[in-house]
Every structure is written in C-alpha cells, then in structure tokens.
Amino acid sequence: MIKGTVKIDAKICKGCELCIISCPQDGLGLAAQFNDKGYRYVELIEDNCTGCVNCALVCPEAAITVFRQPKPAKKSVEKK
Amino acid sequence: MSIERPSNHDFPSEAEGMDLVYCRPETLTDLPFHYCPGCSHSVVHRVLMEVVDELNIQDKTIGVAPVGCSVFAYHYMNVDMQEAAHGRATAVATGIKRVLPDRFVFSYQGDGDLAAIGTAETIHTVNRGENILMVFINNGIYGMTGGQMAPTTLVGQVTTTSPYGRQVEFAGHPIKIADMLTQLPGAYYVTRQAVHNPNGVRKLKKALTKSFQYQKEGKGTCFVEVVSNCPSGWKMTPVETVKYLEEQMFPLYPLGDLKKPDGAK
Ligand SMILES: Cc1ncc(C[n+]2csc(CCOP(=O)(O)OP(=O)(O)O)c2C)c(N)n1
Ligand code: SF4
Ligand code: SF4
Ligand code: SF4
C-alpha cells in the first residue's frame, strides 16, 4: 500500500472532527492538549496514512497538508 | 499568526521522499477563518480559491461578498473583492461584469441574503442571463444574526424564530430557489452540491471549474448551490450536522445537476 503522511497546523485546527470521520484508515484523533484558541486539535495517531487526501478536502480550516510516496513506476514490460 | 504552508523545499522529516499532494491554496490568505468549527462556509471558500488557482485566473477574478456570516469573505479570498448591501450581491456583480467583461465575476451569498432579502436581484440577474457565477450557501438558517428561520428552513425545523418548528400554515413551505431558477432561460447551468464528505468536495470543485469555463465562453448565469451546515445555528456538533444533512436536508434539496447545457456530461 502507498504510504503517506499529513501535517496538521495545530494552531488553526478547531477540533471539528470532520477529518476524523472522513479518514478511511481511522488514523486521526484528537490530541489531549488544547491549542491557543482553546480547541483540542487533531493529530495523526496511527502510522497508516495512505495520503488519500480525504481529511484535507473536508477540513474547514485548510489546516491539513498531505504528502504521499510517488507511485512505483510500472514494470509491466519486464513482467511478461 | 503565520499559517503553515509546507512547500516543496520544507518537508517534515516523516515526508522524506514523498510528494506534496495537497496543501492550502495559494489564493487563500494567511488569515485564520472566523467561522465556527466545522462550518461549510470556509470549505467552500477554499474550494473556490483552489479552482481560481488551478485555472490561473487570480488576477482576473472579482468576487462580491454578501451580508451574513461570510461578510468577511474578502479577508480570505485573495482576489479583487467588493462588498454588497444585504441581498444585492448579484446586482453589484452584474455591474462589474458589464463594465469589465473579460474578468471572471462571482457572487457569494447565504440563503438569507440570496433567497430572502435578495430574491428580486436573484431572479432578475438569472433572468437576464448575466454571465456570472452565483455561489449560494444554503444552510437553511440565518447564521450570523443568531439562527432565525430562513425561507429555506425545513418544515418542522426548530430555529430561534420557529421554536416549535417551522409550520407551513404560518411560514409557508421551504423555497427551492435553484429549482425555480432552472425555469428561467438565462440560467445556463444550475447545480446543487454539498461539502459534507470528500466526494462532495470533489464534485463541488468540478462544478465550480465548469462554471468558470462557461463564463469564459459567455454562456450565461451559472448557479451553484451548496447545501451547507450551520453547527451553531442548528445547535449541533459538526459531526452531527453531517447526519442531519444526509437525513433531513438532502431529501428536500437533492444533490446533482438541475439544469445543464445540452450534451454536457
Ligand atoms: C438591510 C439589512 N437587513 C437585515 C440585516 C441583518 N442581517 C445580517 S446577516 C442576516 C442574515 C444572514 O443569513 P444568511 O444569508 O443565510 O447567511 P449566513 O449567516 O447563514 O451565512 C441578516 C438578516 C442587515 N445586515 N441588513
Ligand atoms: S490522507 Fe487519508 S489516510 Fe491520511 S490521514 Fe488523511 S484521510 Fe487518513
Ligand atoms: S477537519 Fe481541520 S479543523 Fe476540523 S478537526 Fe480536522 S484538522 Fe481540525
Ligand atoms: S453561525 Fe453558522 S453559518 Fe455562521 S459561521 Fe457559525 S456555523 Fe457558520
């Protein structure tokens, strides 16, 4: 499976949890700490992110940046 | 406050060797949104600016902001913006587009703005087929002023001015403004979308992209309704609003294209 990761800007996250329910890997969760605005912010709590971008698409604060491993080059020619 | 925008040169160590596949659009300013947690407004702001970025039309786009919670839309959208009086955004957008026909002009309005005080402007703008994009945020309530009943409020929905739920005998039926507008020849493309899940966001993006393309071709009015939430006005958590949208709002306001150009997919 392709590996990815997310970077969540904890300063502007409002803990709405919409990203949590959109993550097919159940990889996101609320931190125990609060940010300066007083919200429990979201963190990647599992090491299973696939970089599917779902969380970033629904985030109302545009707080999520997503990274993903490049797709491996197709080896169809060699296989035969 | 500085907002994190990791660039291709500034990757977190866990992302070593990975590609940047999603980040805050360039055309969204660095200002954190003032909206309540989970509010659809800021998702739509972001998607709209993503489309502006992808079409590379930042310096050719002019938006008109409404009165309502999104009155400060101009703080976030880094394109030329004009504020309009309550309900009058499409009249102002008409003027801008007629004077500067080579610009991409959009209006952005809530349901109190577009479907109540601005009903006349809405209907006549579409009837004239003004070559603009109208973005309509239908959250079924007056968010900014404290959650009063809007023309779009569902039958039975509790608001501060319908404490026993909206009653048809008293307040009439919720108005399906997008359906009405399809009847007008000036409406070229009318669609209803939502941002309650990732696929909804993807579809909204496609609809907005198409609308700007039609505007470039001078086709007429494109109307994009976004069935939205208002966690504060509805007195729900953002996660609860997703269920309410799916179970209560979408049956009355079904998603999809209501009017599309002949032959378009
Ligand atoms: C002429 C005028 N009448 C009334 C108001 C009060 N007012 C401000 S916002 C608003 C309704 C906003 O509701 P909506 O357009 O649904 O936007 P939302 O806040 O839900 O995004 C009203 C009635 C006003 N500012 N100006
Ligand atoms: S990118 Fe996809 S898998 Fe990774 S955290 Fe976001 S939703 Fe979950
Ligand atoms: S969707 Fe965005 S604002 Fe909401 S909890 Fe997730 S990161 Fe925070
Ligand atoms: S009052 Fe409603 S529409 Fe306004 S910002 Fe809050 S949640 Fe959004």
Side-chain angles (χ1 to χ4, degrees), chain B residues 82-99:
Chain B
Q82 173 62 49
E83 176 60 42
H86 203 12
R88 316 298 181 231
T90 62
V92 174
T94 297
I96 295 175
K97 184 72 187 181
R98 288 189 175 199
V99 173

Side-chain angles (χ1 to χ4, degrees), chain B residues 139-213:
Chain B
N139 57 14
I141 207 160
Y142 289 7
M144 185 196 214
T145 42
Q148 292 83 0
M149 179 168 56
T152 46
T153 299
L154 304 183
V155 175
Q157 188 175 348
V158 174
T159 69
T160 49
T161 48
S162 58
Y164 306 108
R166 179 183 187 145
Q167 287 162 310
V168 173
E169 312 76 60
F170 180 70
H173 286 276
I175 191 163
K176 298 170 79 170
I177 201 107
D179 297 67
M180 271 173 58
L181 296 176
T182 58
Q183 306 302 314
L184 303 174
Y188 187 70
Y189 173 51
V190 181
T191 187
R192 193 184 280 123
Q193 306 291 336
V195 292
H196 62 304
N197 64 24
N199 265 340
V201 177
R202 288 185 184 101
K203 285 187 192 152
L204 172 66
K205 195 167 166 181
K206 279 198 191 118
L208 294 172
T209 307
K210 265 195 254 178
S211 302
F212 278 128
Q213 272 154 2

Side-chain angles (χ1 to χ4, degrees), chain B residues 98-117:
Chain B
R98 288 189 175 199
V99 173
L100 301 168
D102 61 328
R103 307 302 154 91
F104 292 88
V105 177
F106 70 88
S107 56
Y108 183 105
Q109 298 171 276
D111 45 341
D113 197 81
L114 182 144
I117 193 168

Side-chain angles (χ1 to χ4, degrees), chain B residues 22-36:
Chain B
Y22 193 93
C23 69
R24 193 179 171 96
E26 279 295 316
T27 304
L28 212 53
T29 63
D30 271 353
L31 212 66
F33 292 110
H34 72 282
Y35 300 107
C36 309

